[in-house]
Amino acid sequence: MKIVDENGKLFKKINLVDAIVALLLAAIVIAIGWKVVSSVITAKQEKTAEDLASDYENNPHLVFDVICPDVPKMVAESFMEQMDRPKSERQLMSMGAPLEGYVTGCSFTPDDPEDENSTCTVLFTIECVPVEKEGIYSIGTQEVRLGKAHIVKTYYIETSGWVYSMDPPPAEEEPADA
């Protein structure tokens, strides 16, 4: 069986020109739908970022340090330069979405001060509004516990290390019985 017959019809039923026009119209409808859906998603993400900033300011913070060994010195220096960027550019991220936390400090120590090409140990200080479940704090998809591996990720930084120290937010006070 031929796909296009001698009259220019597909499968002896559909005109070839009509099929091409139908495909073009379908592509246009899909493109418009995609544009509308993506703009709604973008607007929702922007609103979420504003809400996160408001929530961040109004909630108690978990402060913790992440130590990252074996970072090339040039990369460590670049991390230090990121601390001069606005706070919004040091916001933590997970899977492309902003989190309620920021890198608030960074320092590094060369492993071999004599060698210009040596690696460094970088220490990041992070402040965040954690989620607490059964006494375990988490930010995004990562639990925050002493000694646990942690990925420090912002718009411009991504490196791994371990939680070195942490200062949990103050416990909520129980209401007094009257």
Side-chain angles (χ1 to χ4, degrees):
M1 180 169 143
K2 291 184 177 180
I3 295 176
V4 179
D5 67 6
E6 61 273 354
N7 294 331
K9 291 192 175 193
L10 293 172
F11 304 109
K12 296 183 182 179
K13 295 183 183 211
I14 303 170
N15 188 331
L16 184 59
V17 174
D18 292 342
I20 292 172
V21 169
L23 285 174
L24 286 174
L25 287 175
I28 290 170
V29 168
I30 290 170
I32 289 171
W34 183 267
K35 186 74 171 173
V36 168
V37 169
S38 66
S39 66
V40 168
I41 290 170
T42 302
K44 193 172 186 178
Q45 287 175 338
E46 288 173 3
K47 184 178 183 307
T48 302
E50 291 170 6
D51 292 344
L52 286 177
S54 173
D55 288 348
Y56 179 79
E57 297 302 327
N58 297 323
N59 285 305
H61 298 169
L62 167 68
V63 180
F64 64 99
D65 294 317
V66 177
I67 192 164
C68 306
D70 301 324
V71 176
K73 186 174 183 184
M74 194 167 77
V75 174
E77 290 170 347
S78 179
F79 289 166
M80 289 295 294
E81 291 170 8
Q82 300 303 313
M83 294 301 104
D84 294 333
R85 289 187 175 272
K87 185 177 179 181
S88 62
E89 294 181 15
R90 293 181 278 126
Q91 186 169 12
L92 299 176
M93 298 180 66
S94 177
M95 296 185 284
L99 300 174
E100 293 180 76
Y102 298 89
V103 175
T104 57
C106 178
S107 62
F108 73 91
T109 307
D111 295 335
D112 182 3
E114 305 293 322
D115 183 7
E116 277 296 313
N117 297 321
S118 76
T119 58
C120 299
T121 299
V122 179
L123 183 69
F124 288 100
T125 301
I126 296 173
E127 286 188 43
C128 66
V129 176
V131 173
E132 181 185 2
K133 184 176 180 184
E134 299 176 9
I136 298 171
Y137 296 104
S138 62
I139 179 73
T141 59
Q142 299 186 87
E143 291 182 352
V144 179
R145 297 191 211 191
L146 291 175
K148 185 156 178 69
H150 193 85
I151 298 171
V152 178
K153 182 177 180 181
T154 69
Y155 290 103
Y156 300 102
I157 294 172
E158 183 168 354
T159 190
S160 326
W162 291 272
V163 177
Y164 177 72
S165 67
M166 60 187 280
D167 183 18
E172 294 181 15
E173 294 181 15
E174 297 286 327
D177 292 333

